Structures are given as structure tokens and as C-alpha cells.
């Protein structure tokens, strides 16, 4: 089974969490979610978004995503996501 790898930009972590939970409801235990930082030419060139600190953004993104997936909610006021 192939596993999709999502770049954390431009999707908000709530969107990825909703998609992951929907797939889990349809096929429990069958999803392995991979999240990666992508690379500067794609993010800046294709999407037109600045990518000054991709790993810091990824860490914050995963914190938000884990909170939503594990607890069902999160209160987060970060540098990149609110």
C-alpha cells in the first residue's frame, strides 16, 4: 500500500487532521500519515510563499496536528499557526 506524504505548506493542520480522521473512520488502522517540509523551490516558486525556517514551521505544525488527532482539540498560539 502506498503512503501519501503531505507537505505541511500550504494546508492548515486542521484540514489534514479532518482528512486523516475521515480516512480513519472509513478504514480504521489503514492510514500512515507522513508530513514533510517539502523544499524551497516548490514552496516559494510554485506557491509564492516565503519559507524562512521550514523545520521550525514543521515542528509547530506537527504539534498542532498531534493535539487535534490525539485530543480532538488544541489551543495553540504559535508563530506560524493559530
Amino acid at each position: 500500500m502506498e503512503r501519501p506524504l503531505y507537505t505541511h505548506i500550504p494546508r492548515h493542520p486542521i484540514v489534514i487532521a479532518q482528512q486523516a480522521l475521515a480516512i480513519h473512520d472509513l478504514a480504521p488502522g489503514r492510514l500512515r500519515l507522513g508530513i514533510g517540509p517539502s523544499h524551497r523551490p516548490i514552496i516559494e516558486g510554485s506557491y509564492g510563499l516565503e519559507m524562512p525556517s521550514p523545520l521550525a514551521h514543521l515542528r509547530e505544525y506537527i504539534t498542532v496536528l498531534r493535539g487535534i488527532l490525539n485530543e480532538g482539540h488544541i489551543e495553540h498560539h504559535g508563530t506560524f499557526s493559530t
Side-chain angles (χ1 to χ4, degrees):
M1 181 167 123
E2 290 188 34
R3 296 179 194 115
L5 178 68
Y6 291 100
T7 59
H8 66 282
I9 300 173
R11 294 176 188 92
H12 194 279
I14 292 174
V15 173
I16 297 296
Q18 289 174 326
Q19 292 172 343
L21 291 170
I23 292 171
H24 175 73
D25 288 344
L26 294 171
R30 304 270 323 255
L31 175 69
R32 290 185 186 257
L33 183 62
I35 305 291
S38 190
H39 60 288
R40 190 164 275 121
I42 296 295
I43 301 305
E44 292 183 346
S46 297
Y47 295 121
L49 302 170
E50 290 186 27
M51 192 176 185
S53 52
L55 294 182
H57 190 279
L58 181 60
R59 280 187 206 101
E60 185 174 308
Y61 191 95
I62 290 174
T63 299
V64 172
L65 188 59
R66 280 184 177 157
I68 295 168
L69 293 175
N70 294 335
E71 304 297 326
H73 68 281
I74 189 167
E75 186 170 326
H76 179 81
H77 302 283
T79 305
F80 306 102
S81 298
T82 57

